[in-house]
């Protein structure tokens, strides 16, 4: 009987040892925040990244996604990642300028010719240089989602030329380049956080705003805006960022799994956005929004002096590389 109990005990210890060995890496739970609604490709892309990260890490990495500014606006999220209170985030590039001035080159008006040009730049050496510049600031760049080209909406009248912008109060991001550009166009820029935008439009604190079609649709701005003008004045790349401290706490295998998941989710998110943009204009028209396509040449010409004035405040060499990328 004693021998039988000893055999059972040895078998139990062996089984326990195998279980510990199999689960030698404890589950890593990561918190990711963004400001968009759950219907936006930001969110579906983030959820795809969570799915792939769990798959590629054999279940070790779990990403909890918090949309709609639930854990802070974009600047809050960046600060949180630098301090280690937020693990991951999606953000527009404008707030990143406050931590690394070179990101300003991406917010220059009419610096990208089209989506294919933007992808080639961000997925190439320029994108990698920008991510490398963030690492001393405590941030790790994993991949580039996107928000698309920005257009203008307002509640006053159609915008068919630059003159139609004169005197309009237009919400912009807290971005000195965007503010300077809209001032150059004759508008009155009103910077504010995205989470404050809808009520500001509803109460007519501002006349209009500028965002890509996806954000206009998912933000339901068509409920409080009557006119959309397809100016396509700025392309909005969206870096997937992570706390450098948190990234370094992962094993090499986990880092590789997470990086792979982020890159593949970026391709997924871009495709989602392209599909949404195709349907978005039809939806705006369905809701009675007048959509106009102005001649962009004067808008682009007005951007040249803005790019020149901000080149030295960002990185003129990176700007040259972007413009010359073919």
């Amino acid at each position: 009987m004693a021998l039988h109990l000893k055999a059972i005990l040895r078998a139990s210890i062996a089984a326990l040892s195998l279980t510990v060995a199999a689960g030698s890496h404890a589950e890593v739970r990561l918190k990711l925040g963004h400001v968009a609604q759950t219907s936006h490709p930001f969110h579906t892309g983030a959820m795809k990244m969570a799915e792939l990260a769990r798959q590629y890490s054999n279940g070790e990495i779990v990403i909890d996604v918090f949309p709609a500014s639930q854990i802070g606006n974009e600047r809050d999220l960046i600060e949180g990642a630098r301090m280690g209170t937020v693990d991951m985030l999606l953000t527009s590039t404008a707030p990143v300028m406050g931590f690394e001035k070179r990101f300003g080159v991406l917010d220059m008006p009419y610096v990208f010719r089209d989506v294919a040009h933007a992808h080639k730049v961000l997925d190439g050496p320029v994108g990698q240089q920008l991510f490398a510049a963030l690492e001393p600031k405590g941030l790790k760049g994993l991949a580039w989602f996107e928000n698309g080209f920005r257009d203008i909406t307002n509640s006053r009248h159609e915008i068919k030329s630059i003159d139609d912008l004169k005197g309009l109060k237009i919400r912009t991001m807290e971005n000195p380049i965007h503010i300077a550009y809209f001032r150059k166009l004759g508008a009155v820029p009103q910077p504010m956080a995205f989470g404050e935008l809808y009520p500001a439009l509803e109460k007519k604190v501002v006349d209009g705003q500028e965002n890509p079609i996806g954000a206009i649709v998912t933000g339901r701005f068509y409920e409080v805006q009557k006119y959309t003008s397809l100016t396509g004045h700025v392309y909005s790349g969206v870096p997937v960022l992570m706390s450098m401290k948190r990234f370094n706490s992962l094993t090499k295998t986990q880092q590789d799994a997470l990086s792979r998941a982020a890159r593949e989710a970026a391709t997924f998110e871009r495709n989602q956005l392209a599909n949404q943009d195709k349907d978005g204009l039809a939806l705006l028209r369905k809701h009675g929004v007048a959509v106009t396509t102005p001649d962009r040449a004067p808008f682009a010409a007005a951007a040249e002096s803005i790019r020149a004035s901000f080149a030295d405040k960002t990185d003129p060499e990176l700007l040259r590389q972007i413009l010359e990328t073919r």
Side-chain angles (χ1 to χ4, degrees):
M1 185 69 175
L3 289 175
H4 179 63
L5 289 174
K6 288 180 180 178
I8 293 174
L9 182 59
R10 283 196 297 269
S12 299
I13 292 172
L16 180 60
S17 298
L18 287 172
T19 301
V20 172
S24 56
H25 296 301
E27 178 184 274
V28 175
R29 205 160 198 106
L30 302 174
K31 186 165 56 176
L32 183 152
H34 66 79
V35 301
Q37 299 300 314
T38 54
S39 55
H40 194 280
F42 276 18
H43 188 71
T44 54
M47 296 301 290
K48 172 61 73 171
M49 181 165 55
E51 173 193 328
L52 294 174
R54 183 187 283 266
Q55 176 186 334
Y56 295 152
S57 68
N58 295 318
E60 291 177 9
I61 297 176
V62 177
I63 300 176
D64 296 316
V65 180
F66 297 85
S69 305
Q70 287 179 13
I71 56 174
N73 62 35
E74 290 180 329
R75 187 175 181 87
D76 294 335
L77 294 171
I78 297 168
E79 288 278 16
R82 295 181 72 222
M83 294 186 295
T85 57
V86 173
D87 300 311
M88 303 179 70
L89 65 134
L90 307 176
T91 179
S92 57
T93 51
V96 187
M97 284 178 59
F99 305 92
E100 175 45 63
K101 68 175 186 177
R102 278 170 279 192
F103 269 73
V105 298
L106 303 181
D107 281 282
M108 299 283 192
Y110 294 100
V111 74
F112 291 107
R113 297 184 297 275
D114 50 34
V115 170
H117 178 212
H119 290 175
K120 191 167 186 178
V121 168
L122 295 180
D123 295 338
V126 170
Q128 292 307 307
Q129 288 179 64
L130 289 169
F131 278 165
L134 287 180
E135 294 192 5
K137 311 294 196 311
L139 297 168
K140 173 71 178 178
L142 297 178
W144 292 92
F145 282 22
E146 70 181 354
N147 205 11
F149 281 91
R150 306 179 77 86
D151 299 310
I152 303 171
T153 72
N154 83 98
S155 59
R156 297 273 297 279
H157 54 245
E158 290 185 331
I159 297 171
K160 296 181 178 179
S161 69
I162 290 177
D163 289 341
D164 294 327
L165 273 164
K166 187 171 294 185
L168 287 185
K169 291 181 288 184
I170 301 293
R171 177 269 176 183
T172 69
M173 290 187 286
E174 296 180 5
N175 181 322
I177 299 172
H178 293 192
I179 292 169
Y181 180 58
F182 274 89
R183 192 170 286 135
K184 170 88 174 181
L185 297 178
V188 182
Q190 302 282 318
M192 68 177 66
F194 185 81
E196 301 169 7
L197 179 51
Y198 186 97
L201 294 170
E202 185 176 35
K203 296 173 183 176
K204 299 195 183 315
V205 174
V206 292
D207 300 310
Q209 59 86 49
E210 48 88 47
N211 258 301
I213 294 299
I216 292 168
V217 170
T218 58
R220 303 178 69 88
F221 297 154
Y222 52 78
E223 296 176 342
V224 289
Q225 299 277 270
K226 298 292 186 183
Y227 308 96
T228 295
S229 185
L230 304 180
T231 51
H233 49 279
V234 170
Y235 170 83
S236 292
V238 177
V240 181
L241 302 180
M242 186 171 183
S243 163
M244 195 74 210
K245 180 179 180 180
R246 192 73 166 112
F247 183 80
N248 288 337
S249 73
L250 304 180
T251 68
K252 179 64 165 62
T253 300
Q254 290 169 342
Q255 290 176 353
D256 291 344
L258 185 57
S259 297
R260 178 185 174 190
R263 291 192 301 270
E264 292 185 15
T267 299
F268 174 86
E269 188 270 350
R270 290 172 179 179
N271 289 335
Q272 290 274 300
L273 187 75
N275 292 334
Q276 188 180 74
D277 281 352
K278 289 177 184 176
D279 299 333
L281 289 176
L283 181 64
L284 292 179
R285 292 187 174 103
K286 179 181 177 182
H287 283 278
V289 176
V291 179
T292 58
T293 304
D295 178 7
R296 291 181 179 179
F299 289 87
E304 292 179 7
S305 63
I306 299 298
R307 292 201 302 266
S309 65
F310 280 93
D312 289 337
K313 298 174 184 176
T314 55
D315 190 320
E317 174 56 23
L318 278 182
L319 179 60
R320 183 193 64 77
Q321 289 182 45
I322 292 173
L323 294 173
E324 293 181 0
T325 296
R326 293 291 183 268

